[in-house]
Amino acid sequence: MAAVQVKYRPVGVLAVLILLSTLAVIFLKSGRKTRALTKDLQSTRSAPKTVRDCLGYCACLRYTDPGCTEKINLVFIRTERTGSDVLASMFHRFGHERKLEFVLPRGGEDDLHLGWPGPVQLRHYRPRHTRHFNLLVERTVYNKHALRDVIPHDASYVTVLREPWAQFKSAFHYYRVGTVVGIQGDDPIAEFLQRAQFYDDVYTSSAAGSRRPEVPDGVSVTHNPMARDLGISERLWNNVTAINEQIKESSMGSVS
Ligand SMILES: *[C@@H]1O[C@H](CO)[C@@H](O)[C@H](O)[C@H]1NC(C)=O
């Protein structure tokens, strides 16, 4: 914007008046625009809009691929040690900026999950304020029927998988598995793998509960935790056919 030097002469005063009235017009127009965008925002609650359509109120969203349709109803299934917290933060921000409604845990003592390590049920979440929930981002186990009772049927389902060996090592260290089960020595992972079932039973036992504060009894952090969070039942873990069927049935599209 060019700088304007104002002198106290009639021409200068006139120039200032013209400038002020122009600014007033611009302000009025932008006010009208904001109201229109607010209306627009409300309408996105029922219908998905393209990213291009919503540029006005999500100023931080610079991605303007016109072929990309913004979906506002979404379930994010968190998995252990896979970067899920980072993605969850992004989904939180996405929802807050659009004033969407989240499924939130009731938040009693030790109750910050949505049913995890099981599926979500009515008693786990707070009542909604709008016509329907848009986003479910807190921890739960994927279960198609349970989720369909909570979130609109057109919702997108998103999860994140990590290469299993890298995921295993990360979980082993993060949950201090070696220490909890009492493994000594230089290479606790090698020792753990010698007797994986035995050590897993020790880790998940109630006797080890006090040394394992974040994890409930009976929940393994080293034995197929991603499969468990995606709702693949333990009795199928050794049946490749059944697992493939289940993956096909949940038909999550994949992004890598
Ligand atoms: C594995 O799963 C398939 C498909 O669900 C089933 O037909 C088969 O009997 C299962 N095999 C075993 C050994 O349980």
Side-chain angles (χ1 to χ4, degrees):
M1 199 192 285
V4 180
Q5 198 180 18
V6 180
K7 297 209 174 108
Y8 294 101
R9 280 186 300 178
V11 174
V13 173
L14 193 64
V16 170
L17 283 177
I18 291 170
L19 188 66
L20 285 178
S21 55
T22 314
L23 285 177
V25 170
I26 290 172
F27 277 128
L28 281 177
K29 274 201 167 160
S30 69
R32 219 174 293 146
K33 202 167 170 186
T34 312
R35 279 194 296 280
L37 288 169
T38 312
K39 227 169 71 198
D40 209 28
L41 174 61
Q42 278 156 2
S43 72
T44 61
R45 290 186 172 212
S46 51
K49 307 220 90 190
T50 65
V51 170
R52 192 179 39 182
D53 288 342
C54 72
L55 259 185
Y57 59 83
C58 31
C60 68
L61 194 66
R62 310 223 186 280
Y63 184 63
T64 56
D65 180 353
C68 183
T69 304
E70 184 175 297
K71 306 269 274 181
I72 57 166
N73 297 329
L74 177 129
V75 175
F76 175 51
I77 302 294
R78 293 190 193 220
T79 44
E80 248 355 276
R81 310 306 301 154
T82 54
S84 284
D85 285 349
V86 174
L87 278 164
S89 298
M90 290 162 75
F91 291 129
H92 279 139
R93 181 165 177 169
F94 175 88
H96 289 310
E97 280 180 354
R98 288 159 183 74
K99 298 193 172 13
L100 302 174
E101 178 147 20
F102 288 85
V103 184
L104 292 176
R106 291 200 175 254
E109 210 176 318
D110 294 331
D111 182 16
L112 298 170
H113 301 319
L114 290 168
W116 187 88
V120 64
Q121 290 172 33
L122 185 62
R123 65 189 163 89
H124 296 136
Y125 56 91
R126 291 165 186 245
R128 58 188 157 75
H129 300 293
T130 56
R131 204 153 46 83
H132 64 74
F133 286 118
N134 302 107
L135 295 119
L136 189 153
V137 177
E138 307 319 319
R139 268 192 107 180
T140 190
V141 165
Y142 174 75
N143 179 296
K144 188 164 80 181
H145 301 292
L147 288 162
R148 280 182 148 231
D149 287 344
V150 184
I151 216 93
H153 289 193
D154 71 346
S156 301
Y157 285 75
V158 179
T159 191
V160 50
L161 298 176
R162 184 173 178 189
E163 190 279 315
W165 176 232
Q167 195 277 340
F168 170 83
K169 286 186 287 185
S170 176
F172 192 91
H173 292 299
Y174 181 79
Y175 291 106
R176 299 170 35 255
V177 175
T179 312
V180 172
V181 302
I183 293 177
Q184 317 272 331
D186 297 338
D187 195 349
I189 287 188
E191 169 56 27
F192 180 90
L193 292 175
Q194 294 290 318
R195 297 199 286 162
Q197 187 62 59
F198 167 76
Y199 284 126
D200 198 45
D201 289 345
V202 175
Y203 185 85
T204 56
S205 67
S206 54
S210 59
R211 283 172 281 148
R212 201 194 51 210
E214 282 180 67
V215 187
D217 289 353
V219 173
S220 172
V221 295
T222 47
H223 195 186
N224 290 347
M226 295 188 288
R228 181 203 54 226
D229 290 343
L230 296 181
I232 297 177
S233 147
E234 190 168 346
R235 74 191 154 78
L236 303 179
W237 286 357
N238 295 319
N239 186 335
V240 176
T241 320
I243 288 177
N244 283 333
E245 275 173 10
Q246 189 134 358
I247 291 172
K248 223 181 254 170
E249 195 202 305
S250 40
S251 72
M252 292 193 182
S254 77
V255 182
S256 45

